[in-house]
Amino acid sequence: MFDFDVVAGETVRNILDGRRPEVIGIVGDAYRSHEAGESLNPDSYFLRFPEKPDSRIIALPAYLGADVQLAGIKWIASFPRNTRAGKPRASAVLILNDYETGYPVACLEAANISAARTAASAAVAATALRPGGFAGTRVAIVGGGVIARNICDYLHAAGAAPDAYVVHDLHRESGEALVEHLRGTQPASASFTDDLGTALGSETVVFATTALEPYVTAPFKPGQVVLNVSLRDLAPEVVLSAQNILDDVDHCLKADTSPHLAEQLTRSRDFVTGTLAGVLNGAVSVNADQPVVFSPFGLGVLDLAVGAYVLTQAREQGSAIQIPNFFGETRRW
Protein backbone atom coordinates (compact mmCIF):
# COMPACT_ATOMS: atom_id res chain seq x y z
CA MET A 1 0.00 0.00 0.00
CA PHE A 2 2.99 2.31 0.45
CA ASP A 3 4.47 1.84 -3.01
CA PHE A 4 5.13 5.05 -4.90
CA ASP A 5 6.21 5.25 -8.54
CA VAL A 6 7.41 7.97 -10.87
CA VAL A 7 6.74 7.68 -14.59
CA ALA A 8 9.04 9.88 -16.67
CA GLY A 9 8.00 11.79 -19.77
CA GLU A 10 9.85 9.59 -22.23
CA THR A 11 8.10 6.52 -20.85
CA VAL A 12 4.71 8.26 -20.97
CA ARG A 13 5.26 9.32 -24.57
CA ASN A 14 6.39 5.88 -25.69
CA ILE A 15 3.39 4.21 -24.11
CA LEU A 16 0.88 6.66 -25.54
CA ASP A 17 2.36 6.87 -29.03
CA GLY A 18 2.01 3.14 -29.48
CA ARG A 19 -1.52 2.89 -28.15
CA ARG A 20 -3.58 5.73 -29.61
CA PRO A 21 -6.64 3.59 -30.48
CA GLU A 22 -6.73 2.30 -26.90
CA VAL A 23 -6.47 5.86 -25.54
CA ILE A 24 -9.38 6.96 -27.75
CA GLY A 25 -11.48 4.14 -26.28
CA ILE A 26 -10.43 5.06 -22.73
CA VAL A 27 -11.43 8.70 -23.24
CA GLY A 28 -14.79 7.72 -24.71
CA ASP A 29 -15.46 5.42 -21.75
CA ALA A 30 -14.45 8.16 -19.30
CA TYR A 31 -16.97 10.53 -20.88
CA ARG A 32 -19.68 7.91 -20.47
CA SER A 33 -18.71 7.26 -16.83
CA HIS A 34 -18.75 10.99 -16.12
CA GLU A 35 -22.19 11.35 -17.70
CA ALA A 36 -23.42 8.40 -15.61
CA GLY A 37 -22.35 10.12 -12.37
CA GLU A 38 -19.43 7.79 -11.66
CA SER A 39 -16.98 10.63 -11.18
CA LEU A 40 -16.29 13.82 -9.28
CA ASN A 41 -14.90 16.72 -11.25
CA PRO A 42 -14.86 19.96 -9.23
CA ASP A 43 -13.91 23.30 -10.68
CA SER A 44 -10.37 23.85 -11.85
CA TYR A 45 -8.28 26.32 -9.89
CA PHE A 46 -6.27 28.97 -11.74
CA LEU A 47 -3.07 30.53 -10.44
CA ARG A 48 -2.60 33.72 -12.48
CA PHE A 49 0.21 36.25 -12.53
CA PRO A 50 -0.53 40.00 -12.85
CA GLU A 51 2.73 40.63 -14.68
CA LYS A 52 2.11 37.69 -17.05
CA PRO A 53 -1.58 37.89 -18.00
CA ASP A 54 -1.22 35.24 -20.69
CA SER A 55 0.32 32.69 -18.30
CA ARG A 56 -1.30 30.48 -15.68
CA ILE A 57 -0.92 27.28 -13.70
CA ILE A 58 -4.08 25.22 -13.30
CA ALA A 59 -5.03 22.57 -10.75
CA LEU A 60 -7.54 19.98 -11.95
CA PRO A 61 -8.67 17.70 -9.08
CA ALA A 62 -10.92 14.75 -9.90
CA TYR A 63 -12.11 11.29 -8.94
CA LEU A 64 -13.06 8.55 -11.37
CA GLY A 65 -14.87 5.43 -10.19
CA ALA A 66 -15.96 2.69 -12.58
CA ASP A 67 -12.91 0.51 -13.32
CA VAL A 68 -10.37 3.17 -12.30
CA GLN A 69 -11.07 3.90 -8.63
CA LEU A 70 -8.50 6.66 -8.34
CA ALA A 71 -8.50 10.26 -7.28
CA GLY A 72 -5.84 12.73 -8.30
CA ILE A 73 -4.84 16.14 -9.52
CA LYS A 74 -3.15 17.50 -12.61
CA TRP A 75 -0.98 20.58 -12.08
CA ILE A 76 -0.43 22.09 -15.51
CA ALA A 77 1.36 25.30 -16.45
CA SER A 78 0.60 27.22 -19.62
CA PHE A 79 3.26 29.83 -20.44
CA PRO A 80 2.79 30.85 -24.09
CA ARG A 81 5.98 32.93 -24.09
CA ASN A 82 7.96 29.69 -23.92
CA THR A 83 7.29 29.19 -27.61
CA ARG A 84 9.45 32.22 -28.46
CA ALA A 85 12.44 30.26 -27.21
CA GLY A 86 11.36 27.09 -28.99
CA LYS A 87 10.09 25.47 -25.80
CA PRO A 88 6.67 23.81 -25.37
CA ARG A 89 3.97 26.07 -23.97
CA ALA A 90 2.72 23.55 -21.41
CA SER A 91 4.30 21.44 -18.68
CA ALA A 92 2.51 19.28 -16.15
CA VAL A 93 2.54 16.56 -13.52
CA LEU A 94 -0.26 14.20 -12.49
CA ILE A 95 -0.58 12.80 -8.96
CA LEU A 96 -2.71 9.67 -8.56
CA ASN A 97 -4.24 8.75 -5.19
CA ASP A 98 -5.58 5.41 -4.00
CA TYR A 99 -9.33 5.72 -3.37
CA GLU A 100 -9.36 3.38 -0.35
CA THR A 101 -6.59 5.03 1.68
CA GLY A 102 -6.09 8.41 0.01
CA TYR A 103 -2.35 7.73 -0.24
CA PRO A 104 -0.67 8.97 -3.43
CA VAL A 105 0.59 6.06 -5.49
CA ALA A 106 2.38 7.74 -8.38
CA CYS A 107 3.59 10.93 -10.00
CA LEU A 108 3.54 11.02 -13.80
CA GLU A 109 4.90 13.56 -16.25
CA ALA A 110 1.61 14.81 -17.63
CA ALA A 111 2.13 17.24 -20.50
CA ASN A 112 2.04 14.18 -22.76
CA ILE A 113 -1.00 12.79 -20.93
CA SER A 114 -2.79 16.13 -21.18
CA ALA A 115 -2.04 16.45 -24.89
CA ALA A 116 -3.13 12.88 -25.53
CA ARG A 117 -6.43 13.14 -23.69
CA THR A 118 -7.18 16.46 -25.40
CA ALA A 119 -6.41 15.03 -28.81
CA ALA A 120 -8.32 11.81 -28.12
CA SER A 121 -11.29 13.90 -27.02
CA ALA A 122 -11.17 15.77 -30.34
CA ALA A 123 -10.97 12.48 -32.23
CA VAL A 124 -13.94 11.02 -30.35
CA ALA A 125 -15.95 14.15 -31.13
CA ALA A 126 -14.90 14.31 -34.79
CA THR A 127 -15.94 10.75 -35.54
CA ALA A 128 -19.18 11.04 -33.54
CA LEU A 129 -20.21 14.33 -35.14
CA ARG A 130 -19.27 13.31 -38.69
CA PRO A 131 -20.56 9.72 -38.77
CA GLY A 132 -20.54 9.66 -42.57
CA GLY A 133 -16.75 9.83 -42.53
CA PHE A 134 -14.21 12.24 -43.96
CA ALA A 135 -13.73 11.03 -47.53
CA GLY A 136 -13.93 13.91 -49.99
CA THR A 137 -13.47 16.55 -47.27
CA ARG A 138 -10.78 18.88 -45.97
CA VAL A 139 -9.70 19.30 -42.36
CA ALA A 140 -8.33 22.71 -41.38
CA ILE A 141 -6.02 23.07 -38.39
CA VAL A 142 -5.83 26.60 -36.97
CA GLY A 143 -2.74 26.70 -34.75
CA GLY A 144 0.39 24.66 -35.34
CA GLY A 145 1.61 23.62 -31.90
CA VAL A 146 1.91 20.45 -29.85
CA ILE A 147 -1.84 20.06 -29.31
CA ALA A 148 -2.51 20.48 -33.04
CA ARG A 149 0.08 17.83 -33.89
CA ASN A 150 -1.45 15.41 -31.40
CA ILE A 151 -4.96 16.05 -32.69
CA CYS A 152 -3.86 15.18 -36.21
CA ASP A 153 -2.22 11.98 -34.98
CA TYR A 154 -5.34 10.96 -33.06
CA LEU A 155 -7.68 11.79 -35.92
CA HIS A 156 -5.62 9.42 -38.04
CA ALA A 157 -5.75 6.75 -35.33
CA ALA A 158 -9.54 7.15 -35.15
CA GLY A 159 -9.88 6.45 -38.85
CA ALA A 160 -10.69 10.02 -39.85
CA ALA A 161 -9.22 10.10 -43.36
CA PRO A 162 -9.82 13.40 -45.15
CA ASP A 163 -8.59 14.04 -48.66
CA ALA A 164 -6.56 17.02 -47.51
CA TYR A 165 -5.34 19.04 -44.54
CA VAL A 166 -4.86 22.79 -44.62
CA VAL A 167 -2.92 24.48 -41.81
CA HIS A 168 -3.06 28.12 -40.70
CA ASP A 169 -0.90 29.73 -38.04
CA LEU A 170 0.20 33.32 -37.45
CA HIS A 171 3.68 31.87 -36.93
CA ARG A 172 4.34 30.47 -40.38
CA GLU A 173 7.28 28.34 -39.25
CA SER A 174 5.05 26.45 -36.79
CA GLY A 175 2.39 25.94 -39.42
CA GLU A 176 4.88 24.67 -41.96
CA ALA A 177 6.31 22.28 -39.36
CA LEU A 178 2.86 20.78 -38.86
CA VAL A 179 2.44 20.45 -42.62
CA GLU A 180 5.68 18.51 -42.83
CA HIS A 181 4.57 16.29 -39.96
CA LEU A 182 1.31 15.54 -41.76
CA ARG A 183 3.09 14.76 -45.01
CA GLY A 184 5.32 12.31 -43.20
CA THR A 185 2.58 10.54 -41.22
CA GLN A 186 -0.63 10.61 -43.25
CA PRO A 187 -1.63 9.80 -46.84
CA ALA A 188 -3.73 12.97 -47.20
CA SER A 189 -2.21 16.01 -48.88
CA ALA A 190 -1.25 18.89 -46.58
CA SER A 191 -0.59 22.56 -47.27
CA PHE A 192 -0.12 25.82 -45.41
CA THR A 193 -2.26 28.91 -45.94
CA ASP A 194 -1.71 32.35 -44.50
CA ASP A 195 -5.36 33.18 -45.27
CA LEU A 196 -7.60 32.35 -42.30
CA GLY A 197 -10.72 32.50 -44.48
CA THR A 198 -9.42 29.69 -46.66
CA ALA A 199 -8.98 27.49 -43.62
CA LEU A 200 -12.39 28.38 -42.20
CA GLY A 201 -14.09 27.17 -45.36
CA SER A 202 -13.09 23.56 -44.73
CA GLU A 203 -15.67 20.92 -43.84
CA THR A 204 -13.98 20.29 -40.49
CA VAL A 205 -12.17 23.09 -38.65
CA VAL A 206 -9.97 22.48 -35.59
CA PHE A 207 -8.93 25.39 -33.37
CA ALA A 208 -5.79 24.74 -31.31
CA THR A 209 -4.47 28.23 -30.59
CA THR A 210 -3.48 30.31 -27.59
CA ALA A 211 -6.04 33.03 -28.37
CA LEU A 212 -7.33 34.92 -25.34
CA GLU A 213 -10.33 36.52 -27.05
CA PRO A 214 -12.51 35.87 -30.11
CA TYR A 215 -11.46 36.84 -33.62
CA VAL A 216 -13.72 34.60 -35.74
CA THR A 217 -16.94 36.54 -36.33
CA ALA A 218 -18.49 34.98 -39.45
CA PRO A 219 -20.89 32.06 -38.88
CA PHE A 220 -20.01 28.63 -40.17
CA LYS A 221 -22.10 26.89 -42.79
CA PRO A 222 -24.48 23.94 -42.41
CA GLY A 223 -22.61 20.65 -42.41
CA GLN A 224 -19.38 22.08 -41.01
CA VAL A 225 -17.96 20.49 -37.87
CA VAL A 226 -15.88 22.77 -35.65
CA LEU A 227 -13.64 21.42 -32.89
CA ASN A 228 -13.31 24.44 -30.61
CA VAL A 229 -10.44 22.95 -28.61
CA SER A 230 -8.80 26.25 -27.65
CA LEU A 231 -12.21 27.58 -26.58
CA ARG A 232 -11.77 31.32 -27.12
CA ASP A 233 -11.47 31.79 -30.89
CA LEU A 234 -15.18 32.15 -31.69
CA ALA A 235 -17.33 35.23 -31.16
CA PRO A 236 -20.54 34.48 -29.23
CA GLU A 237 -22.62 35.16 -32.34
CA VAL A 238 -20.78 32.31 -34.10
CA VAL A 239 -21.60 30.00 -31.21
CA LEU A 240 -25.26 31.03 -31.23
CA SER A 241 -25.61 30.25 -34.94
CA ALA A 242 -24.54 26.61 -34.42
CA GLN A 243 -25.52 23.42 -32.67
CA ASN A 244 -23.33 23.25 -29.58
CA ILE A 245 -21.95 20.07 -28.05
CA LEU A 246 -19.94 20.48 -24.82
CA ASP A 247 -17.94 18.03 -22.74
CA ASP A 248 -19.57 19.29 -19.53
CA VAL A 249 -22.05 22.16 -19.54
CA ASP A 250 -21.28 23.67 -16.13
CA HIS A 251 -17.52 23.47 -16.64
CA CYS A 252 -17.52 24.90 -20.15
CA LEU A 253 -19.70 27.89 -19.35
CA LYS A 254 -17.09 29.77 -17.35
CA ALA A 255 -13.75 31.56 -17.67
CA ASP A 256 -14.92 33.60 -20.70
CA THR A 257 -14.86 30.69 -23.11
CA SER A 258 -16.75 31.30 -26.32
CA PRO A 259 -19.81 29.37 -25.02
CA HIS A 260 -19.60 31.32 -21.76
CA LEU A 261 -19.64 34.59 -23.71
CA ALA A 262 -22.71 33.33 -25.55
CA GLU A 263 -24.40 32.59 -22.24
CA GLN A 264 -23.53 36.07 -20.95
CA LEU A 265 -24.92 37.65 -24.12
CA THR A 266 -28.22 35.77 -24.07
CA ARG A 267 -28.53 35.12 -20.32
CA SER A 268 -29.59 31.64 -21.28
CA ARG A 269 -28.21 28.17 -21.96
CA ASP A 270 -30.81 27.35 -24.58
CA PHE A 271 -28.12 27.36 -27.28
CA VAL A 272 -26.52 24.22 -25.77
CA THR A 273 -27.57 21.16 -27.73
CA GLY A 274 -26.08 18.62 -25.31
CA THR A 275 -22.92 16.81 -24.25
CA LEU A 276 -20.56 14.61 -26.21
CA ALA A 277 -21.43 11.69 -23.93
CA GLY A 278 -25.06 12.28 -24.85
CA VAL A 279 -24.12 11.97 -28.52
CA LEU A 280 -22.12 8.81 -27.82
CA ASN A 281 -25.03 7.31 -25.89
CA GLY A 282 -27.58 8.21 -28.57
CA ALA A 283 -29.46 10.60 -26.30
CA VAL A 284 -28.41 13.70 -28.25
CA SER A 285 -28.47 14.09 -32.02
CA VAL A 286 -27.31 16.78 -34.44
CA ASN A 287 -28.49 17.55 -37.95
CA ALA A 288 -27.05 18.92 -41.17
CA ASP A 289 -29.17 22.09 -41.11
CA GLN A 290 -26.68 23.95 -38.92
CA PRO A 291 -22.96 23.76 -38.25
CA VAL A 292 -21.87 21.83 -35.16
CA VAL A 293 -19.37 23.23 -32.64
CA PHE A 294 -17.74 20.96 -30.06
CA SER A 295 -16.28 22.85 -27.10
CA PRO A 296 -14.31 20.79 -24.55
CA PHE A 297 -13.29 22.61 -21.38
CA GLY A 298 -11.07 19.68 -20.50
CA LEU A 299 -12.05 17.37 -17.66
CA GLY A 300 -9.70 16.12 -14.98
CA VAL A 301 -11.40 12.71 -15.12
CA LEU A 302 -9.88 12.23 -18.58
CA ASP A 303 -6.40 12.81 -17.17
CA LEU A 304 -7.10 10.25 -14.45
CA ALA A 305 -8.35 7.67 -16.95
CA VAL A 306 -5.36 8.06 -19.27
CA GLY A 307 -2.90 8.40 -16.39
CA ALA A 308 -4.15 5.22 -14.73
CA TYR A 309 -3.69 3.36 -18.01
CA VAL A 310 -0.16 4.71 -18.46
CA LEU A 311 0.78 3.75 -14.89
CA THR A 312 -0.49 0.19 -15.39
CA GLN A 313 1.43 -0.17 -18.64
CA ALA A 314 4.61 1.29 -17.14
CA ARG A 315 4.47 -1.06 -14.18
CA GLU A 316 3.84 -4.08 -16.40
CA GLN A 317 6.79 -3.30 -18.66
CA GLY A 318 9.08 -2.39 -15.77
CA SER A 319 9.59 1.25 -16.79
CA ALA A 320 7.96 2.84 -13.74
CA ILE A 321 10.58 4.17 -11.32
CA GLN A 322 9.94 2.93 -7.78
CA ILE A 323 10.79 5.35 -4.99
CA PRO A 324 11.62 3.37 -1.84
CA ASN A 325 10.74 4.87 1.53
CA PHE A 326 8.85 7.73 -0.08
CA PHE A 327 6.57 7.98 2.96
CA GLY A 328 8.36 8.96 6.14
CA GLU A 329 5.98 7.08 8.45
CA THR A 330 3.92 4.02 7.62
CA ARG A 331 2.59 3.23 11.13
CA ARG A 332 0.69 5.39 13.59
CA TRP A 333 2.84 4.15 16.49
Side-chain angles (χ1 to χ4, degrees):
M1 113 175 228
F2 297 110
D3 293 338
F4 187 84
D5 294 325
V6 172
V7 185
E10 183 178 7
T11 299
V12 174
R13 185 175 64 250
N14 290 339
I15 290 171
L16 292 174
D17 285 353
R19 297 171 174 83
R20 292 191 184 102
E22 291 91 336
V23 174
I24 291 170
I26 288 167
V27 167
D29 288 344
Y31 273 132
R32 293 183 180 91
S33 295
H34 180 64
E35 187 91 345
E38 299 173 339
S39 66
L40 296 172
N41 204 106
D43 288 345
S44 303
Y45 297 88
F46 289 72
L47 176 62
R48 300 185 184 275
F49 308 93
E51 296 179 357
K52 293 184 176 183
D54 61 340
S55 300
R56 60 193 184 275
I57 308 179
I58 313 169
L60 287 80
Y63 161 74
L64 182 58
D67 296 331
V68 177
Q69 296 293 314
L70 288 171
I73 189 166
K74 181 176 71 174
W75 181 238
I76 182 165
S78 175
F79 279 55
R81 298 182 200 182
N82 287 352
T83 60
R84 300 175 188 174
K87 301 175 184 177
R89 172 186 59 85
S91 58
V93 294
L94 174 66
I95 302 294
L96 299 178
N97 294 72
D98 176 67
Y99 179 57
E100 181 178 353
T101 66
Y103 271 81
V105 297
C107 175
L108 298 85
E109 190 280 329
N112 286 288
I113 290 172
S114 189
R117 66 82 150 149
T118 300
S121 168
V124 170
T127 52
L129 298 175
R130 192 174 288 288
F134 291 77
T137 72
R138 290 188 309 164
V139 173
I141 309 294
V142 181
V146 172
I147 296 298
R149 184 185 73 228
N150 276 271
I151 290 174
C152 293
D153 291 340
Y154 273 85
L155 287 175
H156 184 58
D163 287 8
Y165 280 91
V166 58
V167 176
H168 172 80
D169 194 300
L170 296 176
H171 185 243
R172 188 183 184 101
E173 183 178 347
S174 296
E176 294 281 12
L178 180 57
V179 168
E180 288 305 309
H181 175 76
L182 286 164
R183 288 174 177 170
T185 57
Q186 300 202 27
S189 67
S191 61
F192 177 84
T193 179
D194 55 11
D195 178 49
L196 177 62
T198 297
L200 298 185
S202 301
E203 288 81 3
T204 303
V205 181
V206 180
F207 289 96
T209 74
T210 57
L212 297 177
E213 57 186 28
Y215 57 91
V216 177
T217 58
F220 291 96
K221 296 178 181 179
Q224 284 186 284
V225 173
V226 179
L227 305 182
N228 182 31
V229 176
S230 42
L231 285 175
R232 293 173 178 84
D233 303 79
L234 310 181
E237 293 80 6
V238 176
V239 173
L240 294 172
S241 68
Q243 301 165 93
N244 288 279
I245 303 298
L246 313 182
D247 58 352
D248 181 287
V249 176
D250 289 333
H251 281 271
C252 200
L253 297 182
K254 63 182 61 170
D256 289 335
T257 64
S258 294
H260 187 209
L261 295 179
E263 181 191 32
Q264 294 176 59
L265 182 64
T266 62
R267 298 184 180 180
S268 169
R269 295 185 172 186
D270 291 345
F271 65 91
V272 177
T273 307
T275 64
L276 179 57
V279 174
L280 297 175
N281 293 334
V284 175
S285 60
V286 296
N287 58 63
D289 296 335
Q290 288 179 286
V292 182
V293 174
F294 171 59
S295 298
F297 193 75
L299 300 177
V301 293
L302 302 184
D303 297 291
L304 288 186
V306 176
Y309 176 73
V310 169
L311 178 61
T312 298
Q313 295 297 316
R315 283 174 168 172
E316 288 181 355
Q317 68 186 29
S319 57
I321 303 168
Q322 295 184 350
I323 308 297
N325 303 316
F326 181 80
F327 298 101
E329 295 189 48
T330 57
R331 297 178 60 88
R332 291 190 64 201
W333 298 103

